[in-house]
Amino acid sequence: LVVKENPDDESPPVDPELGNVAVAAYHAMLVAASTIAAGKTNKDVTASVERVAKAYGVTPISSVRMHQMKRYVLDGVKEVALKEASPEDPEEEKVPDCKFEQAEVYAVDVAMSTGDGKARPGELRTTVFKRNVEKQYLLKVKASRQVLAEVDKKYPTMPFTMRHLTDLRTAKLGINECIAHGLLTPYPSLHEYSGKVAHFKCTVLLLPSGTSRVTGLSLPSYFKTDKQPDEETGK
């Protein structure tokens, strides 16, 4: 992360390689947001992201997904991959085809790398989780039931960290059964060891008047590149 110490300071120096991947990721986010429209498919978006990545000479991070959002559901059924799956990829990593419809909401999530684009688990222990409201199961362990009851009361829809639970010892005992039966979704720490990474997000609404981008930051001016986008991206 590159930030100024004070707002009035000059722009901090940025590695050209980092600047290029940041510009690529930002433009890919904008292109993906405009491609998500009623009647289009998730394959259309994947193709547009890969086209931008190729123009800038970077690689989409394959494990990152865009998701449909609903009330109380951050990761909906409809997904968009940043990269087309290869025949060698595991079946669970392949995204089912879907078509976008009016009155839907999507989280546009784009991450690019100067390396091979494969994020791998790090050594840090996972401590952030989210309740999966679409799953129900009668837990056997008392500690697991206590953890789930507290999560349902305090964090029914948004992610939480274990240190915010009342009894950390009980949480450590009960969290695994909740994960095993899909009641909680873990947010593991992933690392891309082969290169530099840039990550941008925004939210789009599919309205009768067209696609509207309602969140997302601007690209900081100190991220620059000599490479030019392809003709389609430049539009």
Side-chain angles (χ1 to χ4, degrees), residues 143-222:
S144 304
R145 295 195 296 270
Q146 289 178 345
V147 169
L148 190 65
E150 184 174 358
V151 170
D152 283 340
K153 183 179 180 181
K154 294 182 177 179
Y155 314 105
T157 58
M158 300 299 291
F160 64 92
T161 179
M162 282 179 64
R163 69 175 178 270
H164 288 158
L165 299 177
T166 305
D167 188 337
L168 188 56
R169 183 173 178 275
T170 299
K172 289 179 179 178
L173 288 172
I175 204 89
N176 287 333
E177 188 184 10
C178 296
I179 296 170
H181 295 287
L183 301 175
L184 297 179
T185 301
Y187 282 69
S189 174
L190 299 177
H191 300 262
E192 216 290 30
Y193 294 101
S194 64
K196 297 179 176 66
V197 173
H199 199 164
F200 288 93
K201 298 184 179 187
C202 69
T203 306
V204 295
L205 312 179
L206 275 60
L207 305 175
S209 57
T211 300
S212 175
R213 183 162 58 94
V214 294
T215 67
L217 301 175
S218 300
L219 178 70
S221 59
Y222 47 78

Side-chain angles (χ1 to χ4, degrees), residues 17-37:
E17 196 175 27
L18 179 60
N20 180 65
V21 73
V23 172
Y26 185 75
H27 284 169
M29 180 197 72
L30 296 180
V31 169
S34 63
T35 307
I36 297 177

